[in-house]
Amino acid sequence: MKKILLYLSAFALAAAGLSSCADDYDEYDNSYLLDNDETMTLTASATTLELKEDTPADEPVLTFTWTDARQMPDDYIISYIAELDLAVNEFTTSVRETLNEGDYSISYTTEQLQNLIIDTWGQSNSVASTLSFRVIAKWEGGSKYAMPEVRTVDIDVRPYRPLVFDADNVYLEGSSVTGTTSQRISTTVEDENIYASYLQLAAGELVIRLEYNDVSQYIAPEEGQTTDFQDGEAVPARVLAPVEVEGSDKAEVPVEAKWSIPQDGKYRVVVDLEEKTLTMYSESHPINEEFTVTWYPNDDHEKYEEITTTLSGDRVIYLRGDSGGWKKEGKAITIVQSLADPMIFVYSGDAFNGRTDFALVNFSEAEFNDYNKPSDGVNNSYEIGPALDPDAWDGDGQDKDGNGSIGNGAVVTLGSWSKNQFRHGSGTWYEDKEGNIVDENTEGAKKIDPKGSYWQVPSGTNYVTFDFRNLLIKFESR
Amino acid sequence: MKIMKNKILLCTLAVVLPFLSGCSDYLDKRPDDQLDVETAFENSGNLERWLAYIYDGIPACYADSNWDMIADDMSTPPDWFSVGNSVSLYVRGSWTPSDPQIINFWTDLSKRIRQAYVFLENAHPLEDVTAKDIESMKAECRFFIAYYHSLLVMTYGAVPIIDKAAPSTQDEDTFLKQRPFYEVVDWCANELLDVAEDLPIHYANQADDYGRATSLWALAIRARLLTFAASPLVNGNPDLSGMVNCDGEQIFSEKYDPARWRVAAEANKLLIDTAEENGYAIYEAEDVNGEPDPYMSLLEVMMLRENQGNTEIIIPHTKDGVNTAAWFDSMAAPRSLANHGNIGVTQNLVDAFFMNNGLVPITGYTSTGAPIINEESGYSEEGFSTAAWEVDTRYFYNDPDGKEGDTKNVITTQGTYMMYCGREPRFYVSVLYNDAYHWGLTYHDNNTGTPKEYTDFYFNGDDGRPHADYPGFGYLVKKKVAPDYAGSSSTGEYAHRHGIVYRLAEAYLSYAECLYEQSMAEGTFGENENEIYKYLNKIRERAGIPQYGVDGFAKPAPESLRDLIHRERRVELCCESGIRWNDLRRWKEAEDVLDGPFFGMNLMAEKKDKEDYYKRVDLQDRKFISYWWPVPQDDIDRNPNLRQLPGW
């Protein structure tokens, strides 16, 4: 088909040339003007080519070479025109270069070809494109039109897929993953760029596959890093493409992307796409400890037994204040535990605003509605409220009530972290500047009335991140 | 390029037009013969039709020649073999890959998968279809691509992954290769999990959109698939080690991976938790006194729609509306009522139901097929009941004097064969046996002056042989059949029921099974025991039989629990959505259960010889060919990359 097109094309050119000089056509021996004695040959350095992203920018990967065109009288000056185009476009969108006599080759680098195929011609980087290259030897000068010599060659070029440290989906694979060949893991509740899972793995190889725009790539350590298990270390990582198996249409996981799992057990695997790191934690790593608070109802150490509450899984807490209502039960909301860090929880739901604190309740689900004022008068809640900054007690606005609380609400800025504290839900006590509970007569002691302290939450807030590891909180509108 | 487009056009017309002709609602929108992919997606009507075509591949719940008929649940009469009935031919092993298919997934679902890809590639917002609607429809397409792959891989074992809309079937098949079983399974499972996040739990306009795929659909199909994939048939089955694809890759893993059970248990738990958080629950009806009524619960869970309060349905088959259900009623109701009366259940199923005291009546069979009776259970095959058995229930369809609003109703009348006495409620709402009082017959015959009619399956009886329509093994199916069907139509609210592709009870039973298997493999039965019994007992509680470990009813030894979990599933989910067929295969029990003599009652006995009728006789000799359905021979011939499944 292509040959026919070429012949037709050559014929068209010839016809155009003939018609322009039809009057003189029979008067001279002009056989040299025609193509009977064409001599030019054209070769390509490859008929198929797969571009590799890591090829040096200036390294030619595709070279077209041709030989002399036929000899012409001295009054003819030869030049060569090289054109490259998508084969289907038949040189209507070609890039063109005029070369001088003596130039018998032209080369293209990976970058040039990649840009042409993807940017200039808008082709996909997931399939090979057939390119046509032609060289035209043409003459100027002389008294008659000289038939150019044209040679064309086709070549299949597969562009590379740029490796991007990004993913639409993340999968754990390899011999350490049991029960499935491919375990999809989720983004964390607090950050869509972090994928994490806490799962049982077997001793063996762990492969982390990123699927991005339907293309698979694998996480490997940066040069100089290791795939050995490093408990809790955030390993700088890069992505690698699958390695094609020669003589087959299959691709394999690059050996550099096979991480080592030393022994059977539970592991927390955290992939941070923004930081480009992989962090793995063994079950015994401290990060796997969950947040625990202990307190005595009414702060009465003698009358009541110590209460211990561990925050785990999806947890109901209570929103109180302008936001959740001033009724004692406030409004129940659910906070969801992060897969990357069990001490991070996220609320995502209806927007709220105004003075706000949160209450953690040691319930007995049946009693939760009464948590703030149970029948025996015992307060068994624990408050999550703004940190009382001892340095700011004197007049910078945080301690407006002058009694150790922030009754008007600590102002928070959406999207930035604020300090929080866990406090007893009722009763008052005295603290020194280091936050130690002290006798009221101690010098510098300040009365703390925690349940009267709130954040002043801006309207539109519908997303709250609780970082109990660092006692921070972040309000956002998403 | 133009040639390719024409191929798409032809392909599109080929699949769309038959669908259009089958849906009268859409006939006024029939596209002209200029329809091609581009124009098809420029019109909201065409868009909906395209989507509806994809939906139309969901296996029918009411049918007389599908996978529910080829296990040991339901059956057509055995001697229909002589007239070439496909079910009879298949169960007797007279079947080749060239025969017309009872299960036609290979050809049918592959087309629908490709059409789903065409939708994904071409659908775009229109004046009357928002971008959000399109995204939702695309999520539905993605669900169906994964769902249909799951059906394919569970049915054929060795299947390709179809990952694009092929320009033509022939071109595509040239390249398709079967992929390893677990590669397909895990690909589907991940796709389903992924798309569950994009599908809604409920549609905003539930009245119009009920029946469209939801996130629970995806989680349910995923749970079902992963349960299958953890099971003995495919998890370390040495019998399948020789099956390789055209590249020599092993299709099935020889190595047993107990963690497959863990993954399956987690998938089922995820479904249960998500469903329950969103208001789904086991359906439970109450009797007149406000107490649980297992008979009405078990009847209505199959009869009521979601908008009638049935919160158990996860995947409804809404196309199974009043017409298909009424057709099924007519096929299953006694012949003297409905002119058909030929869809029955097997003796195997009758034997499987528990006693009302929660015990197993028959523990096995001798080499001659005689039942080994559990004497403790109180089960007997000797004689007839001497009194009616009345219980607290609103279920009045078995009571000759029953009527709506009664506090108590008779379940078995005096003179009932003892085999059918003292059985659990599920038995009575699933099986129609001989000499049973039948409300529909009575209603029907009241007009002819013969009230209080009983079934007559005897030879020369109104509903029995020698007529060609008769209860094949001495039983008709009651499950899924409206009890108030009376000849030409249902008389009540049960007429408008949907088919049920998946209900929450399956998730409970699958979860109990997977957690049990995981625990036995890991040695953690003690830790998980309460959780296993919790879900198993939820099913037994609704069924109205004693729960294990409750009120003195003994828990079995851990190693005996597997059989009881299987039995619970067998009777709870009988006659539903091919579940038994797939269970027998995945448990690797089909080669025993579906091969050899099938017994039933002596249908050659006349009414005057009543006792002769109630004898077990060998009615059918079955032959089981293969655990996998064959790839159609046409496809094997056309595509040299395909390999036939073992046994064919």
Side-chain angles (χ1 to χ4, degrees):
Chain A
M1 180 64 138
K2 289 193 180 72
K3 277 187 180 169
I4 293 170
L5 286 173
L6 176 62
Y7 296 153
L8 287 173
S9 172
F11 178 78
L13 284 167
L18 289 172
S19 65
S20 69
C21 51
D23 290 347
D24 327 291
Y25 185 65
D26 296 330
E27 296 177 21
Y28 304 96
D29 173 11
N30 55 5
S31 60
Y32 61 88
L33 299 175
L34 300 175
D35 59 358
N36 300 343
D37 301 317
E38 287 192 357
T39 59
M40 187 168 68
T41 59
L42 170 65
T43 53
S45 60
T47 53
T48 60
L49 177 65
E50 187 164 336
L51 302 180
K52 309 279 186 195
E53 189 178 16
D54 54 1
T55 309
D58 55 353
E59 181 181 312
V61 292
L62 180 61
T63 301
F64 298 99
T65 310
W66 54 94
T67 59
D68 277 326
R70 65 187 182 276
Q71 287 298 314
M72 294 281 284
D74 289 347
D75 51 344
Y76 285 87
I77 300 167
I78 192 167
S79 64
Y80 295 95
I81 296 167
E83 285 188 279
L84 184 65
D85 200 356
L86 280 182
V88 293
N89 290 356
E90 298 177 352
F91 298 104
T92 56
T93 58
S94 64
V95 290
R96 206 178 147 94
E97 196 162 344
T98 304
L99 301 144
N100 296 319
E101 188 175 8
D103 290 340
Y104 293 109
S105 74
I106 187 168
S107 294
Y108 296 89
T109 66
T110 295
E111 187 181 0
Q112 285 173 317
L113 291 171
Q114 181 83 8
N115 289 344
L116 283 170
I117 293 170
I118 306 300
D119 299 336
T120 307
W121 297 319
Q123 299 301 293
S124 161
N125 63 13
S126 60
V127 293
S129 295
T130 303
L131 307 187
S132 283
F133 176 86
R134 76 178 174 193
V135 59
I136 304 167
K138 69 171 201 172
W139 289 268
E140 287 171 354
S143 56
K144 301 291 182 187
Y145 174 80
M147 184 68 205
E149 287 189 31
V150 182
R151 294 291 179 271
T152 305
V153 64
D154 284 353
I155 174 170
D156 290 331
V157 181
R158 179 184 286 273
Y160 62 80
R161 299 163 191 245
L163 294 174
V164 182
F165 207 111
D166 203 349
D168 301 318
N169 284 305
V170 176
Y171 299 92
L172 303 185
E173 296 171 351
S175 62
S176 66
V177 176
T178 57
T180 176
T181 51
S182 184
Q183 175 83 50
R184 180 177 171 272
I185 65 174
S186 311
T187 54
T188 58
V189 285
E190 73 278 16
D191 189 339
E192 62 182 16
N193 286 311
I194 298 178
Y195 285 77
S197 181
Y198 189 42
L199 77 169
Q200 183 75 28
L201 294 175
E205 289 171 350
L206 177 67
V207 171
I208 300 157
R209 178 166 67 88
L210 306 186
E211 190 180 79
Y212 184 57
N213 288 341
D214 294 328
V215 174
S216 286
Q217 41 193 20
Y218 299 92
I219 291 187
E222 276 286 10
E223 302 277 356
Q225 300 286 336
T226 170
T227 54
D228 292 344
F229 179 73
Q230 302 170 71
D231 203 356
E233 289 295 316
V235 181
R238 57 189 168 138
V239 289
L240 296 178
V243 178
E244 293 194 359
V245 179
E246 215 163 305
S248 141
D249 54 1
K250 291 180 200 154
E252 287 182 347
V253 179
V255 287
E256 305 96 304
K258 294 179 177 176
W259 301 79
S260 172
I261 297 298
Q263 59 192 32
D264 295 4
K266 282 198 92 171
Y267 291 83
R268 192 176 297 277
V269 179
V270 182
V271 178
D272 189 329
L273 298 179
E274 205 163 59
E275 296 297 323
K276 299 182 183 173
T277 57
L278 169 69
T279 314
M280 293 191 280
Y281 304 90
S282 68
E283 192 170 8
S284 59
H285 190 279
I287 197 171
N288 292 320
E289 289 171 14
E290 294 182 316
F291 189 64
T292 299
V293 287
T294 55
W295 75 93
Y296 293 88
N298 275 5
D299 199 27
D300 189 334
H301 296 233
E302 291 174 4
K303 189 173 177 185
Y304 297 104
E305 288 186 6
E306 187 179 64
I307 292 172
T308 300
T309 297
T310 299
L311 293 184
S312 185
D314 296 353
R315 173 85 197 198
V316 172
I317 62 171
Y318 299 88
L319 186 66
R320 240 179 56 97
D322 295 330
S323 51
W326 293 103
K327 286 191 301 182
K328 58 182 185 291
E329 64 269 30
K331 179 185 176 188
I333 60 171
T334 300
I335 55 175
V336 179
Q337 191 174 34
S338 165
L339 286 165
D341 182 341
M343 288 201 195
I344 290 179
F345 286 76
V346 163
Y347 163 75
S348 173
D350 295 341
F352 62 89
N353 66 286
R355 283 173 294 172
T356 299
D357 72 354
F358 302 92
L360 176 67
V361 181
N362 179 53
F363 55 99
S364 182
E365 283 186 44
E367 294 170 348
F368 79 92
N369 275 336
D370 214 19
Y371 76 87
N372 213 17
K373 196 176 178 185
S375 52
D376 62 358
V378 177
N379 189 311
N380 66 352
S381 71
Y382 210 72
E383 189 216 21
I384 306 166
L388 303 176
D389 181 356
D391 292 333
W393 284 354
D394 297 316
D396 75 346
Q398 278 221 30
D399 184 18
K400 288 181 179 172
D401 298 352
N403 61 358
S405 66
I406 311 175
N408 290 328
V411 175
V412 294
T413 308
L414 285 180
S416 51
W417 290 99
S418 304
K419 285 184 181 175
N420 70 32
Q421 278 186 344
F422 266 76
R423 294 183 293 247
H424 306 271
S426 73
T428 58
W429 66 92
Y430 291 83
E431 286 182 3
D432 63 15
K433 289 204 169 194
E434 278 69 51
N436 302 312
I437 295 177
V438 295
D439 185 84
E440 67 178 294
N441 298 319
T442 305
E443 188 178 346
K446 281 288 178 183
K447 184 182 176 189
I448 305 297
D449 181 6
K451 73 179 188 321
S453 296
Y454 308 97
W455 283 287
Q456 189 62 255
V457 177
S459 62
T461 299
N462 58 7
Y463 197 91
V464 185
T465 308
F466 300 83
D467 178 354
F468 294 131
R469 187 177 301 283
N470 301 300
L471 286 180
L472 293 172
I473 191 166
K474 184 161 67 176
F475 297 89
E476 292 174 86
S477 176
R478 289 197 178 185
Chain B
M1 201 62 163
K2 284 178 179 167
I3 293 170
M4 189 177 282
K5 197 173 279 183
N6 286 340
K7 280 185 181 174
I8 295 172
L9 167 64
L10 289 171
C11 179
T12 305
L13 287 173
V15 296
V16 172
L17 289 179
F19 155 68
L20 291 174
S21 62
C23 296
S24 57
D25 288 350
Y26 291 131
L27 285 179
D28 58 336
K29 295 182 193 169
R30 181 193 291 265
D32 61 30
D33 56 8
Q34 294 305 305
L35 179 70
D36 58 16
V37 168
E38 284 77 17
T39 53
F41 290 96
E42 295 304 325
N43 171 310
S44 61
N46 288 344
L47 207 63
E48 287 170 5
R49 277 171 237 183
W50 202 286
L51 198 58
Y53 168 76
I54 296 166
Y55 268 85
D56 207 31
I58 302 174
C61 297
Y62 292 101
D64 64 353
S65 63
N66 68 354
W67 50 8
D68 284 326
M69 307 295 290
I70 55 175
D72 61 345
D73 271 354
M74 295 192 285
S75 181
T76 47
D79 63 357
W80 282 15
F81 177 74
S82 60
V83 293
N85 171 250
S86 59
V87 168
S88 302
L89 289 170
Y90 179 81
V91 298
R92 288 182 46 152
S94 299
W95 198 261
T96 73
S98 300
D99 285 317
Q101 303 292 301
I102 290 175
I103 295 175
N104 189 30
F105 295 160
W106 186 281
T107 308
D108 183 63
L109 298 186
S110 300
K111 276 187 210 161
R112 295 181 202 271
I113 287 169
R114 290 182 182 119
Q115 294 309 96
Y117 280 112
V118 173
F119 191 100
L120 289 178
E121 288 170 10
N122 293 281
H124 55 83
L126 300 170
E127 203 169 290
D128 53 347
V129 184
T130 66
K132 198 177 165 195
D133 290 339
I134 291 292
E135 284 312 305
S136 180
M137 290 177 180
K138 286 188 172 181
E140 291 168 78
C141 287
R142 288 174 52 215
F143 163 76
F144 277 104
I145 288 168
Y147 171 33
Y148 290 159
H149 271 97
S150 81
L151 286 172
L152 287 165
V153 78
M154 287 194 288
T155 306
Y156 301 92
V159 300
I161 292 177
I162 302 170
D163 61 359
K164 60 178 181 291
S168 83
T169 307
Q170 200 157 4
D171 289 350
E172 172 78 357
D173 284 351
T174 307
F175 300 102
L176 286 181
K177 297 174 180 177
Q178 289 148 311
R179 301 302 309 149
F181 178 81
Y182 279 140
E183 181 180 317
V184 182
V185 165
D186 294 335
W187 177 80
C188 284
N190 282 324
E191 281 291 297
L192 289 164
L193 190 59
D194 202 24
V195 78
E197 291 166 11
D198 295 335
L199 289 167
I201 282 278
H202 295 289
Y203 283 84
N205 185 354
Q206 198 68 344
D208 287 346
D209 289 333
Y210 183 66
R212 293 178 69 169
T214 67
S215 58
L216 285 180
W217 287 36
L219 295 180
I221 295 303
R222 178 172 176 269
R224 187 183 270 175
L225 173 65
L226 289 173
T227 302
F228 187 99
S231 302
L233 175 64
V234 288
N235 192 358
N237 179 2
D239 301 347
L240 296 174
S241 61
M243 178 75 197
V244 293
N245 68 7
C246 62
D247 291 330
E249 287 178 288
Q250 194 109 12
I251 294 291
F252 300 101
S253 169
E254 284 178 76
K255 190 180 157 206
Y256 173 60
D257 181 0
R260 286 266 166 203
W261 287 114
R262 172 175 52 74
V263 169
E266 288 168 358
N268 280 290
K269 190 65 171 34
L270 176 65
L271 166 64
I272 291 168
D273 289 347
T274 312
E276 290 180 343
E277 279 164 18
N278 288 284
Y280 290 83
I282 290 287
Y283 176 80
E284 287 179 291
E286 293 178 346
D287 67 13
V288 174
N289 300 318
E291 297 296 320
D293 188 336
Y295 295 88
M296 291 307 290
S297 301
L298 297 162
L299 168 70
E300 291 191 330
V301 70
M302 303 306 299
M303 291 291 126
L304 298 185
R305 302 187 305 277
E306 191 205 41
N307 61 8
Q308 293 172 301
N310 188 351
T311 52
E312 188 168 331
I313 303 176
I314 303 283
I315 306 182
H317 194 315
T318 48
K319 195 187 165 200
D320 281 340
V322 60
N323 291 332
T324 41
W327 166 83
F328 191 81
D329 291 347
S330 75
M331 301 304 281
R335 188 179 72 241
S336 57
L337 171 63
N339 286 326
H340 294 294
N342 55 45
I343 299 182
V345 300
T346 68
Q347 185 68 49
N348 282 15
L349 178 59
V350 170
D351 293 348
F353 287 99
F354 291 90
M355 300 300 289
N356 199 47
N357 57 20
L359 295 175
V360 172
I362 293 170
T363 56
Y365 300 93
T366 67
S367 58
T368 59
I372 301 168
I373 292 171
N374 175 12
E375 299 296 343
E376 279 180 43
S377 70
Y379 175 78
S380 168
E381 295 187 3
E382 299 294 325
F384 302 89
S385 65
T386 53
W389 178 39
E390 193 177 53
V391 301
D392 289 342
T393 178
R394 289 191 285 116
Y395 186 86
F396 62 89
Y397 302 100
N398 279 18
D399 188 341
D401 297 318
K403 59 185 183 307
E404 206 151 353
D406 283 354
T407 307
K408 289 178 177 292
N409 279 294
V410 166
I411 296 300
T412 52
T413 53
Q414 184 183 344
T416 300
Y417 181 46
M418 286 305 290
M419 179 187 278
Y420 315 134
C421 292
R423 305 300 291 272
E424 60 161 314
R426 283 179 293 208
F427 172 76
Y428 297 104
V429 298
S430 300
V431 178
L432 183 60
Y433 47 84
N434 190 27
D435 286 326
Y437 172 74
H438 194 272
W439 183 91
L441 283 174
T442 305
Y443 181 92
H444 180 254
D445 290 347
N446 270 340
N447 298 328
T448 58
T450 320
K452 294 187 184 175
E453 283 286 341
Y454 290 69
T455 52
D456 183 358
F457 296 166
Y458 295 102
F459 196 77
N460 285 326
D462 287 347
D463 311 314
R465 300 189 76 169
H467 195 285
D469 289 315
Y470 66 96
F473 292 90
Y475 309 97
L476 291 172
V477 64
K478 264 174 114 174
K479 191 169 186 179
K480 302 195 288 191
V481 177
D484 53 3
Y485 176 83
S488 57
S489 68
S490 173
T491 63
E493 61 183 345
Y494 298 144
H496 299 276
R497 61 196 180 272
H498 293 142
I500 300 178
V501 177
Y502 195 104
R503 60 187 172 102
L504 190 57
E506 181 180 342
Y508 283 6
L509 290 163
S510 296
Y511 178 52
E513 178 188 341
C514 294
L515 191 58
Y516 169 80
E517 296 293 353
Q518 175 198 339
S519 305
M520 295 303 276
E522 293 176 350
T524 55
F525 181 78
E527 287 169 38
N528 294 324
E529 181 181 4
N530 288 344
E531 183 84 345
I532 295 165
Y533 280 119
K534 175 182 168 185
Y535 286 94
L536 195 56
N537 279 341
K538 279 173 185 259
I539 299 299
R540 288 175 72 86
E541 182 181 19
R542 193 264 295 275
I545 56 176
Q547 301 167 55
Y548 297 113
V550 176
D551 295 335
F553 192 78
K555 288 180 182 175
E559 54 273 18
S560 304
L561 185 54
R562 178 180 291 116
D563 286 347
L564 292 170
I565 292 173
H566 287 193
R567 182 182 292 263
E568 201 70 52
R569 185 178 175 92
R570 195 250 182 291
V571 295
E572 174 68 28
L573 302 174
C574 66
C575 311
E576 289 184 50
S577 292
I579 292 171
R580 176 65 174 168
W581 165 248
N582 282 329
D583 283 347
L584 281 175
R585 292 169 55 234
R586 68 186 181 88
W587 292 332
K588 257 187 104 186
E589 292 177 0
E591 64 199 68
D592 298 323
V593 176
L594 301 183
D595 199 276
F598 260 52
F599 292 85
M601 293 293 99
N602 178 14
L603 302 169
M604 302 306 287
E606 295 198 35
K607 196 167 192 169
K608 62 184 173 56
D609 304 314
K610 179 174 178 176
E611 294 197 359
D612 284 348
Y613 176 91
Y614 292 106
K615 285 190 168 61
R616 289 172 185 260
V617 293
D618 179 358
L619 293 173
Q620 189 176 47
D621 192 26
R622 290 200 177 188
K623 182 167 171 50
F624 181 70
I625 302 174
S626 172
Y627 278 99
W628 302 105
W629 204 262
V631 178
Q633 192 59 42
D634 280 354
D635 290 82
I636 293 279
D637 294 343
R638 194 166 58 227
N639 181 355
N641 286 341
L642 296 179
R643 298 290 178 269
Q644 189 53 280
L645 277 301
W648 296 99

